[in-house]
Structure formats: C-alpha cells, structure tokens
Amino acid sequence: MTAAVSGLGRGVPVLPLVFAAGAAAALVLPPFSVLPAAPLAFGALFLLVSGAGTWRAFALGWVFGLGHFAFGLSWIAESFAVEAERYGWMAVPAISGLSALLALFPALACAAFARLRIDGAMGAAAFAACWMAAEWLRGHVLTGFPWNLAGYALAEFDPLRQPAAWIGSYGLGFVVMLVSALAAVALRAQGRRRAGALALAGLLCFALAGAGWLRLAAAPVEETGVRLRIVQGNVAQADKWRPELRAETFARYLRLSSRPGAFDVLLWPETAFPGYLDEDAAAVDRIAGMLGPDRVLLTGAPTRVADGQGARYFNAVQAYDAGGPVARYAKHHLVPFGEYVPRWLPIERLVETPGDFTPGPGPRTLALPGLPPVGVAICYEIVFPGAVVDDAIRPDWIFNATNDAWFGTSIGPRQHLASARMRAVEEGLPVVRAANTGISAVIDAEGRIRNRLGMERSGIIDAVLPASRPATLYARLGDLVLPPLVLIGLLLAWLTDGGAARLRRRT
C-alpha cells in the first residue's frame, strides 16, 4: 500500500512507515525519554490519518499501535524465560497477541479523529483529545492496562512532569500529543497558519515548563523524621519458591534487616516471605525478636482465608511489630494470567499457586503504631492513575511493594519505576518502593528519586521519609479535570486557526 502524503513525500510505503513510527514512539518513553522523537513519531501518525477515511485511519492506527506496543512491551518476554522449558514457546505469541489487542486503542483514536474531518490546529487538538480518550479507555476496559501512557514521555524531566499534579498522566498525554500534532501542522501549513501552530506549540511547552518550575520552587526539601530501611533481597525468580531455598531466603532478609543502623519502619518487597507468614509462628517470633520495640515491618507475603467453599488466596502486604501482626492490605488490581486467569480461557497461570488470587476491596490506608498513615500499592497497582489512594482516608505516603524479578534487567522495571514517579506527583505523596531485584527507591512528592538501589543488587537503603504535600487538584478531582482541559485546548487551537478574526468579521 502506498499513498501520497502531504508533507511526507510521494510514493511512501505507508504501512512500514507507520509501523516504524509506532516503534519510534517507544523511544519517547522511559527509560529512553527521547523527547524529539515525539513530534516525529506522533506527528507522522497525525499526518497519515489526516483526511483519511474512517477504516483506513483505523488500520493505520492499529499498525502504529502494533509497532509501539511490540517494541515498548518486548521486555515481557523475560517472564517466559523463568521456566523456559514450560513457557518459553509462549513468549512471541503472547507479546504479539497482547500488542495486537492493545493496538485497537490507537486504532479507535485514529478512526474517531478521521470521522471529525477537522484540520489545522483544531485538528491537532481533536487528535490529541481522541488519543487521550483512547488511553483512558485502555486504562479502564477489562480491568485496564495503563502502561506507557503518552504523558510518561515527561516522567524523567523534573519540571515537565509537575503539571501531572493538576491534570494527571492522561492530561499530560493530551499536551504531548497536541504539541506533536501542532509540529506536524506547521510542517504542512504555510504563512500565518504555520506561525500560529509553532507559536501555540511553543506556548504550551513554555507553560508546561514554567508551571513545573513554580511547583518545584514552592516545594522546599522537607523530611518527616521517620527513618526507613528498605531491604532488597535480590532473590532470583526461579529460586524464590523452591522449598529447599525458602529458609535461606528468609534468613537473607533477616540478615540484611539486622545490619547496624537506626530505623523506624522496615520495608520488604512483594512476596518477600515465600510462604504464609501469618501461619508461621516461628517466623513471626524471629521477626519480632529482630524488630525490638517501636519498630514496624511492612512485608509482602501471600495469605489465605478459609470459607465454606475451601480457601481464598490473597497477594498481600502485612504489617508486624514486636507484638505480632497489626494490619494487612490485599492487592485489588490483579495481573491477568499471572495472578488469575479468566475462567473462560483454557490456559494456566504463569505463577504457581494453589488457586487464583482473590482481589481485595480496593485502596486502603493503614494505621501503623508510631508512623504516619500509609497507602499500599502492590506491584502492578502503582501503574493506575487515580486509583492508588483511599479517598476517604488520605495517607501521608505510599508503600509500593513489588517483585520485578520476572523481567530481569530489561526496560520493564525502569518503566515500572517511571509509573511510581508519576503517582507521587499526581497524589502529592512520597512513594517508597521495595523491589525484590530492584529498582528500590525513595521518591518524593515531586517525583524526584532521593535514594535508589539498582537492579540485581542485594542490599539496603537507609533513608528518611520525605514530607507529603497537600492534596493536589488531580488527587481531589481525578479524571474530572480532563474535559475542561480538552475544551481549553480546543479553544486555543480555534484562536490559532483564526477563529477570533472570523468572529470579528461576522460581527
């Protein structure tokens, strides 16, 4: 298939071009964060679908999405190598199938934009709105998968990610797509329209950076006085659940936790204890002896609850002090095919457990003795904007317990860390991350990494908990901020396209 595309030349093979643009869009996101690639990749897609028919735009969007997700999510293949003899053959079909499914969302965005038949700066704003709506759907449909949102292009730039405190990651994605499409408008336009598109793109970039600098300037570096100790055991996923190694895994966490130094709260990662800790009195006694008075442990450990039909299993974070268990949180956003399998699919989980995990009731704030109230997000849960904090009882910090050992030293754990940084900004809360094989980190309420321990390293982080900030606009309103943002974007685009001048001539 070829087409003459204005601004891109004639005789360009469209499908390879749009697939390559989708792959290049993966470079826009962490850990690469090559911002100049955004107008090249997303701008090319905008030009390709401008003026196209609905179904052609749908096809182009799907091919773009296929390239984007196939490259951006290629790290998932690492998880199939943990038990390569059983699951290795599934890696390519799984990534291909997931990419093809997720590509439907860019396809819908492009088809919706094509139906609107709008060009110029207004077209750029409409394209950005359609893309944002499709990303929002991707984050919610069938439990959602809001990984690698367009707004994460700004995650590693201190001032540029700060507006997420007001408009969230979906809103940042709208701005990224609008600026990218305006650059494409300028490439194709001439005269005043070109100048207007460039001016609006420049204004948006300046406003984004300026607002970010102001938020950073208003945020003095403050700490709470609460002393943290994060333990990164670095236990290989293939060894984690081997019965003959469980005692050594537990002993490793106790040794690391007992290193000299003062702390108030001890933090172990997801499933750090490879068994049912709340049923193991001897293990609880060893933890109590290690903690001593006035200290609390937060650790990932599965748990189970008996009911009339057998037992229900939960992926949990449990809190202990010297007297025993004090609180528990059960993960509510479970990983499909890892922690449960839809009953209508005749396939098995990648994680061996006696049964599917049961989702918990939702975000919850834990009250711990002598500590600020804490919200908990286990692993995958930290990727969901607006869904990590209990709205009824706002915590002072978020504990993200995770196990990224499944993904080795790939880009996956780095992308996961970027999500945690965005949640910190959106909520105005520090995020403390304990990861089995890394990356463990202390992240302040502005998304800055205060302390970190890299991948495949065993050790501890001793740090002080950063202070929280008052609830942000996004924390208070959530995604209700998005419709007004789109209206403002459309109004600015209308003015750029000469709307005010046309109105004056009519009056």
Side-chain angles (χ1 to χ4, degrees), residues 2 10 18 20 29 46 82 95 102-103 112 123 169 199 269 277 295 297 299 304 334 349 373 402 424 429 483:
T2 61
R10 294 182 178 275
V18 77
L29 304 170
F46 171 76
V82 173
I95 294 171
L102 294 174
S169 292
L277 179 57
R295 290 175 170 175
L297 166 69
T299 179
R304 57 189 173 185
L334 302 178
R349 292 182 309 278
T402 189
L429 296 174

Side-chain angles (χ1 to χ4, degrees), residues 296-298 318-328 364 366-369:
V296 173
L297 166 69
L298 279 169
Q318 302 174 34
Y320 291 84
D321 65 8
V326 293
R328 189 187 76 181
R364 181 184 171 197
L366 302 183
L368 303 177

